[in-house]
Amino acid sequence: MCRNIRKLRRADGAPTDEELHDAALQFVRKISGYPKPSQTNKKAFERAVNGVARVSRKMFDELVTAHTVETS
């Protein structure tokens, strides 16, 4: 299991939905200790991944950067 989560904030724009999903999946795997959930825990695992990705998208949408200030 990878120990490093990549930084997704960059000057050329927000991360893609796929990048956010992959980072959320890595995060949930890390904190749960499960590289792959059992069938019993699959739904809870998927909800957690989707929730982390959704909240991360909201954060990126709300971040104020030098680039967003210049275009306002």
Side-chain angles (χ1 to χ4, degrees):
M1 188 180 322
C2 183
R3 295 176 192 248
N4 298 318
I5 294 179
R6 290 181 334 143
K7 179 181 84 170
L8 297 180
R9 183 181 55 84
R10 55 185 180 262
D12 66 342
T16 65
D17 289 341
E18 182 179 5
E19 288 173 318
L20 287 174
H21 178 271
D22 291 348
L25 178 60
Q26 185 179 16
F27 177 74
V28 172
R29 284 176 174 166
K30 185 69 170 180
I31 64 170
S32 71
Y34 292 110
K36 184 177 178 185
S38 66
Q39 279 301 114
T40 304
N41 293 323
K42 188 175 181 178
K43 293 250 188 235
F45 196 88
E46 289 174 353
R47 277 193 299 274
V49 170
N50 292 333
V52 170
R54 185 175 52 255
V55 169
S56 298
R57 171 60 66 207
K58 182 172 174 43
M59 179 199 65
F60 276 104
D61 289 347
E62 294 176 358
L63 284 177
V64 176
T65 64
H67 176 62
T68 58
V69 171
E70 291 172 7
T71 60
S72 296

